[in-house]
Amino acid sequence: KPKAEQTDFLHISDFDKATIVKILDRAAEVKALLKSGDRSFLPFKGKTMSMIFAKPSMRTRVSFETGFSLLGGHAIYLGPDDIQMGKREETRDAARVLCRYNDIIMARVFGHQDILDLAKYATVPVINGLTDYNHPCQIMADALTIIEHVGRLEGTKVVYVGDGNNIVHSWLLMASVIPFHFVCACPKGFEPDKETVEKARKAGISKIEITNDPKEVVQGADVVYSDVWASMGQKEEAAYRKQAFQGFQVDEFLMKLAGPKAYFMHCLPAERGVEVTEGVIEAPYSIVFPQAENRMHAQNAIMLHALGL
Ligand code: CP
Ligand code: NVA
């Protein structure tokens, strides 16, 4: 198939609402099939995937590899030392080589330009498994999880507390496609990218709030969401960030302010006692493990869509 008939998955906002809803419906459908023990659906039979990791991972690696193989395909893990993108090999060369072996490429990289270059030079679909800028597969899995627990994403209130990072950018891009109320409460100086906020506001379908006080905005949340304060590539800033993020820990008091219907979500890995307390992440209202499981189901549907299957 020519590339035009296939689809990269780089940003949620590259798709219209009907397509995002279709992918989420497909995820639920294939999830039910796999959960029933049925192993007869093998759409990826005879297909191979390269998985490029410039950063560490547990969920992304295992969920992609497991999902692709459960549906009949074979995935190949390439760790930080294998390609050494930008050092041992230019990104555009890696793209043009790998697409001669594989039907699909999944990549986790530092600079966002790397994923754009992979997609530009590869003749097969490229899936974004996290960049410094965004993490679309995570937020697709989160949407699936919210639909399962709340009943819908549309019209819900999602309050993110912490760093205005890649997770926030993907939430903002989701809010430019599906209408809901998205709030990001972050310390001054740690706001999300201005252009991305603007894009979500301009789409005009969701209510978008960026604030510096979680206590003021958390009431009535369907979901309170947190992530690490120092992302991959920022670990040397961890001590400084711990100071700057005082007051942004999701604790029992904040969850009480949110109200009785609020679920707690976190993309994981989590640092207990830093961005979230042990009590909150272990509470009955915490859905972080169903959320992690849904990475695999959301991504299976994303890959099916990317490959036109
Ligand atoms: N949430 C997430 O992407 O986890 P990993 O970094 O373990 O892949
Ligand atoms: N913001 C985090 C997400 C990890 C899944 C990071 O980029 O490290």
Side-chain angles (χ1 to χ4, degrees):
K1 268 189 183 178
K3 178 107 171 178
E5 289 175 35
Q6 310 192 1
T7 319
D8 300 315
F9 195 82
L10 306 181
H11 322 91
I12 291 169
S13 54
D14 295 339
F15 303 90
D16 61 11
K17 183 181 174 189
T19 306
I20 293 299
V21 169
K22 194 180 112 195
I23 295 172
L24 291 170
D25 285 347
R26 194 82 187 281
E29 187 190 305
V30 177
K31 176 177 180 176
L33 192 75
L34 289 175
K35 298 284 262 191
S36 77
D38 192 323
R39 294 290 180 271
S40 64
F41 181 52
L42 302 168
F44 301 144
K45 194 158 186 248
K47 298 206 182 290
T48 63
M49 167 167 67
S50 269
M51 304 191 301
I52 302 170
F53 283 92
K55 292 174 174 175
S57 169
M58 178 173 78
R59 275 147 293 276
T60 304
R61 190 240 166 123
V62 178
S63 59
F64 265 105
E65 186 163 339
T66 305
F68 200 64
S69 91
L70 281 175
L71 300 187
H74 177 74
I76 300 144
Y77 171 74
L78 295 155
D81 288 336
D82 290 317
I83 302 185
Q84 300 175 39
M85 243 165 35
K87 269 193 238 134
R88 183 171 184 271
E89 185 108 28
E90 285 194 27
T91 308
R92 55 192 170 144
D93 291 349
R96 286 176 290 182
V97 172
L98 291 175
C99 66
R100 285 171 180 258
Y101 304 134
N102 303 125
D103 302 282
I104 184 165
I105 296 169
M106 180 262 134
R108 163 168 290 189
V109 295
F110 284 91
H112 195 64
Q113 191 59 46
D114 283 343
I115 202 86
L116 300 178
D117 287 344
L118 281 172
K120 179 174 171 193
Y121 287 98
T123 56
V124 302
V126 171
I127 313 281
N128 178 353
L130 180 146
T131 71
D132 288 344
Y133 173 66
N134 70 345
H135 196 3
C137 292
Q138 178 70 54
I139 275 51
M140 288 294 281
D142 299 344
L144 179 63
T145 312
I146 294 172
I147 291 165
E148 287 172 348
H149 287 81
V150 181
R152 69 211 140 76
L153 172 61
E154 208 163 320
T156 60
K157 179 176 181 181
V158 177
V159 179
Y160 174 98
V161 182
D163 185 24
N165 62 16
N166 44 10
I167 293 289
V168 176
H169 297 147
S170 280
W171 269 118
L172 287 165
L173 297 179
M174 178 64 95
S176 69
V177 179
I178 305 274
F180 62 101
H181 181 179
F182 180 68
V183 188
C184 170
C186 53
K188 274 206 169 62
F190 295 90
E191 285 87 0
D193 170 58
K194 270 206 179 72
E195 267 177 49
T196 308
V197 174
E198 220 23 61
K199 184 180 165 73
R201 288 204 167 120
K202 268 217 183 105
I205 59 165
S206 292
K207 183 171 174 189
I208 309 289
E209 286 183 277
I210 312 293
T211 151
N212 303 121
D213 185 358
K215 288 180 211 72
E216 243 175 31
V217 289
V218 80
Q219 206 210 340
D222 294 283
V223 170
V224 179
Y225 196 116
S226 115
D227 183 15
V228 290
W229 291 343
S231 284
M232 292 179 270
Q234 302 172 329
K235 296 300 175 191
E236 69 292 343
E237 292 175 26
Y240 153 72
R241 283 172 172 262
K242 253 183 208 171
Q243 288 306 312
F245 283 72
Q246 286 311 306
F248 288 83
Q249 184 186 63
V250 178
D251 59 10
E252 287 82 341
F253 178 68
L254 194 71
M255 290 305 294
K256 216 182 162 92
L257 280 183
K261 68 173 182 186
Y263 288 104
F264 174 72
M265 295 179 77
H266 191 306
C267 54
L268 305 179
E271 265 199 85
R272 288 167 165 79
V274 182
E275 74 271 9
V276 60
T277 61
E278 166 83 9
V280 166
I281 199 167
E282 296 296 342
Y285 53 69
S286 166
I287 51 172
V288 299
F289 298 114
Q291 179 187 0
E293 176 185 340
N294 279 338
R295 291 294 305 280
M296 182 172 87
H297 304 301
Q299 290 155 194
N300 284 348
I302 289 166
M303 292 189 287
L304 284 166
H305 180 77
L307 288 165
L309 294 166

